[in-house]
Amino acid sequence: MIPCYTVQRNLACIQRIVGGVRWTSSCRPAPLLTASPVRALIDDKISIRGHFLPPRCPVTVCAQMQSDDGDLWEAFAHFNTNLDGTVNLTRDPSVGGSYLGCEPMGLLWGLQPAPGAEKKKVETPYVMLMSLLKGHVSPSERPSTELAAVTAERWYMAPGVRRIDIRQNGVVGTLFLPPGPGPFPAMLDLWGMGGGLVEYRSALFASRGYASFSLAYIGHKDLPGPQHRINVGDPYFKSAFQLLQDHPQVYRDRVGIIGLSFGVYLTLRLANHSDIKPSCLICINGPAGSNIKLADADGRTEQMENDQKYWTYDDQGTVSFRAVSLPANLSPESKVELDHLTCPLMYIVGEDDLSASSIENANLIEETLSAAVKSQLFTRLSYPGAGHLIEPPYTPNSRASLWSVKPQKLVTLWGGHLALHAAAQEDSWKKILEFMETNLRH
């Protein structure tokens, strides 16, 4: 069989025999792969195209990236070139590989493996190496011929965004400020029980014009120990909100709160204090109550192991926390009544959430607000096939990942089917920004 390609790095003449007839092209440049723009924010789309290829020939486009932990992530897609010798990921369907169909950003959200990884260093970009390969190949399984390559940078921090460590009056977090003098509308950013200090969503908010304060409350070296428990209480979260409100570059009457997972409970609890007046709330896949009592003002803590009776395991020993947050399993006194809530609340549901009972909690919140004659404050976004970790768009999702090593190794289920989860992240992020625009800028 005569190969589809005879490639040279300089100008090349490519010959092909079809149906016994020799076909000779005119001389043309060597194959080229382009990405535009080559430097962009993580939530910006990019256009990936291959040029100067033989018509109707199989090619593979591969994306590779190193995580902050040094792991190699990879995605690839198979295409057949068009009659004009091009492939355009915005236009052309993938016929195999990490995803199928026309998905312009599929090479980015399809990156695997990404178990337990997160972007820790927001001051540096993800550097994506994209390669154009000969034939339909699986790059990690066998050697392949690279025809062309291009690199692209994906950033959480736009030029001019400022990152400020906060260690003030016991409050631990990172403040991100947009370029310019301000003042800016702002968000308090609360994550889940994974702990530590997760900064990338706040960095991206600041890149879109909002001051954002990512707050640590468990599992951080600068917080009271032990690290596997919540050792801060309501005064801590109120202090964090007020610290953000009082910042000279923040509009004090335009501050919202966003929470994911256990951060949803903290968001609702904080907003229900009569002396805390957020402008809007965004809740992503989390409970309206808890089995974990927060520390009181004196810092006393309770064990966090009380909810283990609701853990469930599959045949591989992977744990799901979903039943922990079923409304019937939440301690009645912890359920937030929302009687003081006066601002709009948007709740985002991943219908394949395997870590929290998001549908049931969204129902509970909606019923609670309806009983308080506040239905007009509630907006629900619900996404079939989306899992627990609905994050900024065009980033990979892990259906399961490592949760803990000590005292035992645990892998937990998050849920989410790759393409459906990616679609949910893209749509929900757009609507999050629209919701913030409506409630924090107008």
Side-chain angles (χ1 to χ4, degrees):
M1 178 180 293
I2 296 177
C4 193
Y5 299 94
T6 303
V7 181
Q8 297 177 359
R9 285 296 182 183
N10 300 316
L11 291 182
C13 290
I14 301 178
Q15 294 187 332
R16 186 181 180 206
I17 294 177
V18 180
V21 178
R22 182 175 296 275
W23 172 78
T24 304
S25 77
S26 59
C27 288
R28 58 174 168 259
L32 176 68
L33 185 65
T34 60
S36 179
V38 294
R39 190 182 195 276
L41 288 174
I42 205 84
D43 59 349
D44 285 328
K45 287 186 175 182
I46 61 173
S47 173
I48 303 167
R49 301 184 183 190
H51 311 263
F52 310 127
L53 299 162
R56 298 198 182 285
C57 278
V59 294
T60 298
V61 184
C62 175
Q64 292 182 324
M65 179 193 73
Q66 270 201 332
S67 74
D68 287 341
D69 295 322
D71 300 320
L72 182 67
W73 299 2
E74 182 179 82
F76 64 96
H78 296 156
F79 299 92
N80 294 309
T81 60
N82 288 279
L83 283 172
D84 61 357
T86 65
V87 60
N88 181 343
L89 273 63
T90 303
R91 173 195 67 195
D92 301 331
S94 166
V95 297
S98 302
Y99 68 91
L100 296 174
C102 185
E103 297 283 357
M105 301 294 284
L107 283 182
L108 280 72
W109 55 250
L111 287 164
Q112 296 290 324
E118 63 184 34
K119 184 62 178 166
K120 299 182 179 75
K121 301 172 184 175
V122 295
E123 301 100 324
T124 58
Y126 283 130
V127 179
M128 314 288 301
L129 172 64
M130 287 172 278
S131 305
L132 182 63
L133 308 176
K134 176 182 174 179
H136 288 166
V137 296
S138 176
S140 60
E141 291 180 3
R142 66 173 188 265
S144 52
T145 301
E146 182 182 284
L147 304 173
V150 65
T151 58
E153 293 182 355
R154 308 286 290 166
W155 289 82
Y156 281 100
M157 283 180 67
V161 168
R162 290 158 288 167
R163 179 191 176 277
I164 303 166
D165 289 322
I166 301 294
R167 305 292 186 272
Q168 185 175 327
N169 299 326
V171 173
V172 177
T174 306
L175 176 65
F176 291 86
L177 294 173
F184 307 103
M187 293 294 290
L188 179 64
D189 191 1
L190 300 171
W191 288 77
M193 295 293 288
L197 188 50
V198 184
E199 298 183 352
Y200 52 87
R201 186 167 60 196
S202 280
L204 196 52
F205 279 151
S207 298
R208 295 304 180 192
Y210 298 89
S212 190
F213 183 31
S214 180
L215 182 67
Y217 64 87
I218 184 175
H220 193 282
K221 62 181 178 63
D222 294 333
L223 290 171
Q227 290 197 13
H228 66 284
R229 300 184 194 173
I230 298 177
N231 303 302
V232 295
D234 290 335
Y236 178 84
F237 297 98
K238 291 170 70 174
S239 293
F241 185 86
Q242 289 161 353
L243 185 153
L244 182 58
Q245 248 188 343
D246 294 341
H247 193 281
Q249 290 180 271
V250 168
Y251 283 114
R252 63 173 297 106
D253 60 346
R254 300 186 192 178
V255 180
I257 312 173
I258 183 169
L260 180 143
S261 195
F262 193 77
V264 168
Y265 171 57
L266 299 175
T267 295
L268 297 173
R269 186 181 176 98
L270 181 58
N272 201 47
H273 285 283
S274 58
D275 54 343
I276 299 293
K277 298 293 182 185
S279 297
C280 65
L281 306 180
I282 301 168
C283 299
I284 306 170
N285 286 333
S290 175
N291 290 298
I292 304 165
K293 288 188 178 179
L294 298 183
D296 62 19
D298 295 325
R300 289 191 294 268
T301 66
E302 294 201 2
Q303 295 289 337
M304 292 173 54
E305 289 79 20
N306 297 336
D307 60 10
Q308 288 192 18
K309 61 185 175 183
Y310 301 122
W311 295 7
T312 59
Y313 298 84
D314 65 14
D315 294 339
Q316 287 75 45
T318 306
V319 64
S320 170
F321 303 135
R322 187 183 184 283
V324 172
S325 58
L326 280 169
N329 295 336
L330 300 173
S331 59
E333 67 273 15
S334 76
K335 294 179 184 177
V336 184
E337 295 179 358
L338 301 175
D339 49 326
H340 293 296
L341 187 68
T342 58
C343 70
L345 186 163
M346 183 164 72
Y347 192 105
I348 298 171
V349 176
E351 295 182 13
D352 189 45
D353 187 347
L354 300 179
S355 186
S357 301
S358 301
I359 296 172
E360 293 85 351
N361 277 275
N363 292 340
L364 175 61
I365 293 168
E366 187 169 20
E367 291 162 5
T368 302
L369 289 173
S370 178
V373 197
K374 295 182 179 182
S375 297
Q376 76 281 1
L377 298 177
F378 186 75
T379 300
R380 183 195 306 229
L381 304 179
S382 195
Y383 296 100
H388 185 67
L389 300 173
I390 296 179
E391 299 187 311
Y394 317 132
T395 56
N397 173 58
S398 295
R399 189 168 178 83
S401 72
L402 185 66
W403 174 255
S404 67
V405 177
K406 295 180 180 180
Q408 61 177 318
K409 182 178 179 180
L410 279 180
V411 175
T412 188
L413 290 166
W414 303 113
H417 300 281
L418 204 58
L420 292 172
H421 190 90
Q425 291 195 153
E426 181 174 4
D427 186 72
S428 64
W429 184 251
K430 176 187 174 195
K431 288 175 178 170
I432 284 171
L433 295 179
E434 290 171 350
F435 186 76
M436 290 166 57
E437 176 77 18
T438 299
N439 293 292
L440 297 178
R441 292 192 187 276
H442 296 155

